[in-house]
Amino acid sequence: MGWQKTFTLARRSKGCHLVTDEVLGQIDPGLRGVQVGMLYLFIQHTSAALTINENFDKGVRRDMDMALDNIVPESLNWRHTDEGPDDSVSHTKTSLVGTSICIPITDGRLNLGTWQGIYLTEFRHAPHARRVVATILS
């Protein structure tokens, strides 16, 4: 059986943002009654990504942002800068982090580890609202 919903995350500027509660608020109807299943989240953008990581210490989010900036620096001689100097660097980071994640569902709940949460990694400096497609299969 399947359930699907497209929703928009709140506007956020560059950084790694914990969005677990926001996602849960959107997918709660689809989780009801699912004994065993999978949640697939897909972000419909090329300059932001989704990932799962530490959900407690905010320092992890700052560290992730810092590490990604060092791995893919904005200071490179980027050719594609139509939307600004963070244009192509954002696309590259999205390819590295990824546009989708999958999470097991058990007894109507996301089966995340104790310290795991869903992150939006926003790579553009200006705040953007991001569309996400949630698909639940059971």
Side-chain angles (χ1 to χ4, degrees), residues 26-38:
Q26 294 291 333
I27 66 167
D28 183 61
L31 291 173
R32 292 187 198 136
V34 176
Q35 296 293 341
V36 175
M38 290 296 294

Side-chain angles (χ1 to χ4, degrees), residues 36-68:
V36 175
M38 290 296 294
L39 167 66
Y40 298 92
L41 295 174
F42 175 78
I43 191 164
Q44 295 181 313
H45 301 276
T46 60
S47 54
L50 296 171
T51 191
I52 296 173
N53 214 310
E54 155 92 42
N55 68 358
F56 181 74
D57 186 350
K58 292 180 182 182
V60 172
R61 287 171 247 165
R62 289 188 299 272
D63 289 346
M64 282 181 51
D65 194 41
M66 181 258 324
L68 288 166

Side-chain angles (χ1 to χ4, degrees), residues 70-124:
N70 280 291
I71 294 166
V72 186
E74 196 172 303
S75 62
L76 294 178
N77 188 24
W78 299 100
R79 290 181 177 91
H80 175 70
T81 57
D82 297 345
E83 296 177 38
D86 62 350
D87 200 357
S88 211
V89 68
S90 297
H91 299 321
T92 303
K93 288 177 182 178
T94 297
S95 289
L96 292 175
V97 175
T99 56
S100 62
I101 57 174
C102 55
I103 303 169
I105 301 167
T106 306
D107 297 326
R109 297 175 48 140
L110 298 185
N111 200 340
L112 291 164
T114 301
W115 304 110
Q116 288 183 318
I118 302 167
Y119 278 33
L120 165 69
T121 52
E122 175 60 62
F123 302 123
R124 302 305 300 263

